[in-house]
Amino acid sequence: MTNQPALNLQALAGSERAALPDVQPAGPLDPTTVVEVTVVLRRRGELPAAVRGGEELLDRARLADVAGADPADVELVRSRLTGLGLQIRSADAATRLVRVAGPVGRLAEVFGTQLDLVRSPHPGSGELTPHRHRSGELSVPAELAGVVVAVLGLDNRPQARAHFRFAPAAAGAASYTPLQLGAAYRFPAGTDGAGQTLAIIELGGGYADSDLQAYFGGLGVATPKVTAVGVDGATNVPGQDPQGADGEVLLDIEVAGALAPAAALVVYFAPNSDAGFLDAVSAAAHASPTPAAMSISWGQSEDGWTAQARDALDQAMADAAALGVTVTVAAGDDGSSDRVTDGAAHVDFPASSPHALACGGTALSADPATAVVRSETVWNDPGHGATGGGVSDAFALPAWQAQAGVPARAGGPAGGSGPGGRGVPDVAADADPATGYAVYVDGQPRVIGGTSAVAPLWAALVCRLAQGLGRPLGLLQPALYAAAAPGRPVAGLRDITSGTNGAYRAGPGWDACTGLGVPDGAALLTRLRAGATG
């Protein structure tokens, strides 16, 4: 490294990372090991107001011209980083992402940090997982200050957990096939997702074609077209973790595929890191053909992210919405605490992004034969999970949600409260594992719940709505909330008014447990066709 040019660095805003507790050294980190990181560049201009409000869509070329990276910025980053001994693996002005490779020791020098090899508890399983670790803030070469807005992947700790739960082995547990749930939620007749693409984001696990054939054959449904896409070196690896990530992957595919059987499903496999998550969402949003929906069943409490990673992923979902993609995201399975132990209320990200359709969970009692709903309440089963929901610490209250009655943020241990932010969730559906989804995982029939199941259910519904309307929906929330008011149900959604997720209680109208309610798909299609606000 002694022959490299001297570095003049400036701090990178939003890159501060707290040291993880309970880390254990995992041996020396070889400074010559080549790794890749993702560098995010600033926008050349803001998205137009009509695009931000969901009233207008852009194609990829127009998005790049209006709000992508300036080609001069791309060239500056390319020139400066290669001059510092790094390699540019890819650079794309539309996504504003530059993939950079180099010896890990040199990367640490260029971005002003120290990296160590450690093991720490995985945010989902709790198992000790090896990864690179840093704390404090990053820096960038002075010439790139203001041009580079995020550097992700230097610390590649597992960033998210899958929001699913296996059904408890308890008497009285029920289950439904996705087809039965589609009937209970009145998915619109005459639609099946034909002509639409549904993207699914996965941060681990895999699926086998034999499982899909067995499952859909058992339902009497043609096996949908499913394509696996690897991101940042990850691939579809089935059969490794039937109790973990494989359960998530197969749940997502089987729910989406059963409810939108004619849609093309594209499953993006990425490393479970902040860089991998961002790169997968960007790859899906900018794919051709553009997906009608993108389903995300992974996340972590907002404060488990750096500000730079949160902002970069939120902006990637803003791009997705601008291109016509409706991004459905699980709201979490740990109630209003979101598994944070400080006694305060927390919401899960990326569900808390204002560009995500955040999906909460219910406990459903319905007649499987007739689809008649007997009752539906907030999912909250002590010891077995509860729907996430609450008020964001990171994102302001969106204009389209301003009249819905989002409360002040629930307080911390002292019982105080804070100013209102983006309310989570927007919508809901069955998530209680005790009234869960009958699926097939690694050769075995299983019953799984969690808000992980709600994201692909809503993604499938979006595909069918887009088919029925003959157009993509993009940012759906402004239409859903158009007639929202405190205590007032909205057309196309069935209000859930009973139950609690801890700090918040359900009631008439929007609430921080089940949002605006569960779908009445036929009524929602009618409302969207009419452009109704009531």
Side-chain angles (χ1 to χ4, degrees):
M1 304 297 176
T2 57
N3 295 325
Q4 295 293 345
L7 290 168
N8 176 19
L9 301 179
Q10 291 191 18
L12 178 59
S15 63
E16 180 78 20
R17 237 202 208 287
L20 281 169
D22 305 321
V23 297
Q24 299 179 8
L29 181 62
D30 181 353
T32 67
T33 301
V34 174
V35 301
E36 295 186 12
V37 299
T38 297
V39 174
V40 186
L41 309 189
R42 65 187 175 187
R43 291 192 187 279
R44 67 193 304 179
E46 291 304 311
L47 289 168
V51 174
R52 296 197 306 272
E55 302 157 13
E56 181 183 327
L57 301 179
L58 302 175
D59 61 25
R60 191 172 186 270
R62 181 65 176 153
L63 176 63
D65 287 343
V66 171
D70 190 313
D73 284 350
V74 177
E75 184 52 38
L76 176 64
V77 169
R78 183 192 302 274
S79 174
R80 184 63 176 126
L81 294 184
T82 55
L84 291 171
L86 304 178
Q87 297 177 343
I88 305 301
R89 294 288 171 86
S90 63
D92 182 64
T95 61
R96 299 179 293 116
L97 302 184
V98 180
R99 192 74 173 158
V100 180
V104 68
R106 185 57 178 166
L107 283 165
E109 291 174 352
V110 169
F111 296 113
T113 191
Q114 177 178 325
L115 295 171
D116 299 297
L117 191 62
V118 303
R119 293 185 182 89
S120 71
H122 191 284
S125 67
E127 295 180 359
L128 289 177
T129 303
H131 59 87
R132 296 185 300 275
H133 178 266
R134 71 170 179 89
S135 60
E137 66 182 2
L138 299 174
S139 298
V140 296
E143 300 93 327
L144 304 184
V147 174
V148 170
V149 297
V151 178
L152 306 178
L154 287 165
D155 181 324
N156 63 340
R157 69 185 71 179
Q159 184 58 63
R161 59 181 176 268
H163 293 313
F164 75 102
R165 305 248 176 164
F166 285 101
S175 66
Y176 306 98
T177 69
L179 298 179
Q180 291 167 336
L181 291 168
Y185 292 129
R186 296 202 335 126
F187 275 40
T191 64
D192 56 8
Q196 311 302 312
T197 299
L198 193 161
I200 299 173
I201 305 300
E202 303 293 359
L203 304 179
Y207 67 90
D209 289 338
S210 57
D211 276 351
L212 302 184
Q213 292 163 3
Y215 181 72
F216 290 108
L219 290 180
V221 175
T223 302
K225 178 185 177 183
V226 183
T227 304
V229 175
V231 176
D232 295 350
T235 58
N236 173 29
V237 184
Q240 303 293 309
D241 190 9
Q243 299 298 317
D246 281 7
E248 178 60 65
V249 173
L250 285 155
L251 172 69
D252 290 342
I253 295 172
E254 289 168 3
V255 171
L259 289 171
L265 307 187
V266 184
V267 187
Y268 291 82
F269 290 94
N272 188 353
S273 66
D274 54 9
F277 208 152
L278 171 65
D279 292 345
V281 169
S282 293
H286 290 262
S288 181
T290 302
M294 183 191 310
S295 176
I296 301 175
S297 295
W298 300 73
Q300 189 182 183
S301 174
E302 284 182 331
D303 53 351
W305 298 73
T306 61
Q308 63 164 359
R310 222 172 29 230
D311 291 346
L313 189 52
D314 170 58
Q315 288 302 301
M317 290 190 289
D319 286 355
L323 292 165
V325 186
T326 303
V327 185
T328 64
V329 184
D333 295 353
D334 296 281
S336 60
S337 73
D338 204 35
R339 209 180 289 191
V340 181
T341 58
D342 62 0
H346 296 266
V347 293
D348 208 76
F349 179 81
S352 65
S353 163
H355 302 102
L357 185 71
C359 299
T362 68
L364 172 70
S365 175
D367 185 327
T370 65
V372 172
V373 175
R374 304 184 186 100
S375 66
E376 195 160 8
T377 61
V378 175
W379 168 41
N380 189 343
D381 185 3
H384 300 292
T387 184
V391 181
S392 173
D393 290 314
F395 297 100
L397 185 68
W400 42 260
Q401 203 177 35
Q403 305 305 314
V406 177
R409 190 177 299 120
S417 63
R422 191 271 202 263
V424 177
D426 299 304
V427 294
D430 183 37
D432 188 341
T435 63
Y437 294 63
V439 293
Y440 197 78
V441 179
D442 291 349
Q444 297 293 326
R446 304 298 300 265
V447 175
I448 302 181
T451 55
S452 275
V454 186
L457 180 146
W458 266 94
L461 177 57
V462 166
C463 285
R464 291 174 63 163
L465 293 171
Q467 177 192 4
L469 293 167
R471 60 175 175 84
L473 300 174
L475 191 70
L476 180 57
Q477 293 93 310
L480 294 181
Y481 281 89
R488 177 180 175 179
V490 299
L493 293 152
R494 180 162 50 80
D495 202 7
I496 305 300
T497 59
S498 175
T500 174
N501 69 350
Y504 301 96
R505 183 169 295 278
W510 183 91
D511 57 65
C513 299
T514 57
L516 295 169
V518 300
D520 180 334
L524 185 54
L525 178 57
T526 297
R527 175 184 169 187
L528 293 173
R529 277 177 172 157
T533 59

